[in-house]
Structures are given as structure tokens and as C-alpha cells.
Amino acid sequence: MKSSFFLTQLWIAVGLVVAGFLLSVLLQNGTASNVGWVLAGLLFLLHPVLPQNREKTPGRLWLVRLAGAVVILMGVLVRFQV
């Protein structure tokens, strides 16, 4: 995998969080922001990628999956109210 693919996935996750926040502001509903966080976490939980300089390190994908699970947990437990 290339480093650019990692950056692409990272920017997609940031875009999902920002889109969820904007929807929550426009709709005056905090759950849209939570959905954005959950989708961003699912992106890394289901398809973990590493930067190009870390690809040769074996066994590091579980850390990316763990980080995705933490983001999902934050999106489920924290109530973002707008």
C-alpha cells in the first residue's frame, strides 16, 4: 500500500466527521455528528492501512483497528449536542 492511500483514507475520515458536524448544525440534531464519528471509526476498523514508512513493521494493523474501535466507542458514548 502506498502512503498516499493512507492519507486519502485519513482525509475521508476527517471529511466524514466534518460532514456529520455540519449536518448536526443544519438539522439541529446531535446524532448526525455521532454517526460521522462512527463511520470514520468503521473506515479504519474494517480496512486498516498503515503509512508507507510503517508497512514493513509486522503486526501493527491491530493498533489501527484498535484506534478505529476507540473512535467508534467515542461516537457511541459521547453525546454531541448542538
Side-chain angles (χ1 to χ4, degrees), residues 15-25 29-37:
L16 286 170
V17 170
V18 169
F21 174 73
L22 289 176
L23 276 175
S24 68
V25 169
N29 188 357
T31 57
S33 182
N34 292 83
V35 170
W37 281 99

Side-chain angles (χ1 to χ4, degrees), residues 1-81:
M1 291 181 200
K2 296 180 181 176
S3 171
S4 62
F5 186 70
F6 173 76
L7 290 177
T8 302
Q9 187 166 340
L10 189 64
W11 281 111
I12 290 171
V14 169
L16 286 170
V17 170
V18 169
F21 174 73
L22 289 176
L23 276 175
S24 68
V25 169
L26 292 175
L27 300 176
Q28 295 295 319
N29 188 357
T31 57
S33 182
N34 292 83
V35 170
W37 281 99
V38 169
L39 289 176
L42 276 175
L43 189 65
F44 281 97
L45 185 68
L46 297 177
H47 190 275
V49 293
L50 293 173
Q52 188 176 10
N53 60 352
R54 297 289 181 204
E55 281 183 353
K56 296 177 181 159
T57 312
R60 295 292 181 193
L61 287 180
W62 69 273
L63 287 172
V64 177
R65 288 181 194 257
L66 181 66
V70 167
V71 171
I72 291 172
L73 190 64
M74 186 179 79
V76 170
L77 294 179
V78 176
R79 293 290 188 210
F80 296 106
Q81 297 295 328

